[in-house]
Amino acid sequence: MANLKEVRNRIASVNSTQQITKAMKMVSAAKLKRATNAIVQLRPYATKLQEMLSNLSASLEDGSSPYLQEREPVRVLVVVVTSNRGLAGAFNANAIKTANNLIAEKYPEQMKAGKVSIVAIGKKAQEFYQRRGYNVIGNNNELYNNLNFVEASKITEAIMQGFVNGDYDRVELVYNHFRNAAVQILMAEQLLPVPKTETKAETKAAAQVDYILEPSQEEIVEQLIPKNIKIQLYRAVLDSNASEHGARMTAMDKATDNAGDLLRSLKLSYNQARQAAITTELTEIVSGAAALSNG
């Protein structure tokens, strides 16, 4: 009987857990729809802006913008985008692992010298790097409570100002790129200085024909570069936000299926134990009856 009670309690517990994972899956699916719409709407604009900037800035010198200046990467800033919550499979762990590998492979000397700083967007990265004694700058965990371009730009402006002031010589960005609910691609990109794209002379000439530049190429690029940097970081955060909900929805779906498998196994064990208990009771009754009739 004790064994039957224990199995019944486990069945009730797993059933309750399954209901919670089902609810979390439904909530993540609803949030994923909104997050997907946001990143899908932004991507064409971000891509076109990046393309225009590449065409216009290809002929500019490094000194034409402070955000184009290549310096020896003595001080490095790594922006790691994760989420505030867990229960999303390996979503957060993979982003942090990618950032750690990036630091270990590209900036080992800077890491030894204590010249690597972290800007964490999301509580999981914030807690991870603070516990390990990294120089974590600021606290951006509230961004997801009101995720919009204005709030994300505040973080970007602080990073850009630090780069111009010489606090950082290189800024790297690590995030999850959203492909679909089941697939998130980890990305590590250089944010500052703005990477140059090598463009062939013919392609450059053909591309510039499409644009009528007013007032001048230099002034336009001067305004486009800061805007593009802000858009790229905002795009990364939107990508990560959509990836988070997709990863959580997938994780909760698998958890629900696993709970169903466990329930079937427990019910089988319960029925076997119940059958064994009934058989034992019947055997005892028959044995008692036989003993009385023999007496």
Side-chain angles (χ1 to χ4, degrees), residues 211-248:
Y211 304 112
I212 299 174
L213 304 177
E214 290 286 348
S216 70
Q217 179 175 341
E218 289 74 14
E219 291 180 57
I220 292 173
V221 171
E222 185 180 349
Q223 301 222 359
L224 275 184
I225 289 178
K227 187 168 187 176
N228 179 62
I229 296 168
K230 294 176 184 178
I231 286 291
Q232 297 311 317
L233 183 61
Y234 182 50
R235 175 182 55 80
V237 176
L238 287 183
D239 255 320
S240 183
N241 187 47
S243 297
E244 175 199 350
H245 296 308
R248 183 171 292 111

Side-chain angles (χ1 to χ4, degrees), residues 179-204:
R179 175 170 288 180
N180 55 52
V183 179
Q184 299 85 38
I185 303 171
L186 285 155
M187 304 292 290
E189 301 174 350
Q190 181 178 310
L191 188 65
L192 288 168
V194 176
K196 289 186 176 180
T197 55
E198 295 183 5
T199 310
K200 293 182 179 178
E202 311 84 47
T203 308
K204 190 198 317 181

Side-chain angles (χ1 to χ4, degrees), residues 18-286:
Q18 188 183 47
Q19 291 176 355
I20 293 171
T21 56
K22 274 184 182 178
M24 291 184 69
K25 175 189 171 183
M26 293 174 65
V27 170
S28 293
K31 290 182 177 179
L32 174 64
K33 180 63 177 175
R34 293 195 296 270
T36 303
N37 289 340
I39 185 59
V40 167
Q41 290 170 9
L42 179 68
R43 272 181 187 163
Y45 175 74
T47 303
K48 190 63 178 177
L49 183 63
Q50 181 73 26
E51 178 188 325
M52 288 175 60
L53 183 62
S54 298
N55 290 330
L56 292 172
S57 63
S59 60
L60 296 178
E61 298 177 358
D62 289 350
S64 58
S65 170
Y67 307 113
L68 293 173
Q69 293 178 0
E70 290 281 351
R71 302 194 291 261
E72 184 69 23
V74 177
R75 293 168 293 275
V76 178
L77 179 70
V78 181
V79 183
V80 187
V81 186
T82 60
S83 68
N84 286 340
R85 299 165 54 218
L87 296 177
F91 171 79
N92 293 308
N94 286 341
I96 292 170
K97 182 180 179 181
T98 301
N100 292 342
N101 290 341
L102 173 71
I103 295 170
E105 291 171 9
K106 288 185 69 175
Y107 308 109
E109 298 301 323
Q110 292 86 338
M111 183 63 192
K112 289 179 183 177
K115 300 294 185 180
V116 175
S117 300
I118 302 290
V119 165
I121 300 177
K123 188 182 294 183
K124 293 302 178 181
Q126 184 92 17
E127 292 174 349
F128 177 89
Y129 288 107
Q130 281 182 340
R131 283 197 303 266
R132 285 156 181 79
Y134 282 77
N135 178 30
V136 180
I137 301 170
N139 187 321
N140 307 298
N141 300 336
E142 300 300 320
L143 176 62
Y144 289 112
N145 298 337
N146 185 25
L147 182 53
N148 57 59
F149 179 70
V150 174
E151 295 300 320
S153 292
K154 293 176 182 177
I155 301 172
T156 316
E157 286 169 1
I159 294 171
M160 291 162 63
Q161 190 60 49
F163 180 79
V164 172
N165 294 342
D167 298 335
Y168 331 114
D169 303 306
R170 184 75 55 81
V171 179
E172 300 278 0
L173 176 61
V174 177
Y175 65 98
N176 279 276
H177 173 76
F178 177 78
R179 175 170 288 180
N180 55 52
V183 179
Q184 299 85 38
I185 303 171
L186 285 155
M187 304 292 290
E189 301 174 350
Q190 181 178 310
L191 188 65
L192 288 168
V194 176
K196 289 186 176 180
T197 55
E198 295 183 5
T199 310
K200 293 182 179 178
E202 311 84 47
T203 308
K204 190 198 317 181
Q208 288 183 345
V209 172
D210 297 335
Y211 304 112
I212 299 174
L213 304 177
E214 290 286 348
S216 70
Q217 179 175 341
E218 289 74 14
E219 291 180 57
I220 292 173
V221 171
E222 185 180 349
Q223 301 222 359
L224 275 184
I225 289 178
K227 187 168 187 176
N228 179 62
I229 296 168
K230 294 176 184 178
I231 286 291
Q232 297 311 317
L233 183 61
Y234 182 50
R235 175 182 55 80
V237 176
L238 287 183
D239 255 320
S240 183
N241 187 47
S243 297
E244 175 199 350
H245 296 308
R248 183 171 292 111
M249 188 182 76
T250 303
M252 291 303 100
D253 182 53
K254 290 180 180 177
T256 302
D257 291 343
N258 290 340
D261 293 340
L262 185 55
L263 274 175
R264 283 189 289 273
S265 176
L266 286 171
K267 286 177 181 177
L268 179 61
S269 299
Y270 176 78
N271 290 333
Q272 288 174 341
R274 186 166 174 269
Q275 187 177 24
I278 293 171
T279 302
T280 301
E281 288 178 5
L282 287 174
T283 302
E284 290 174 353
I285 291 171
V286 170

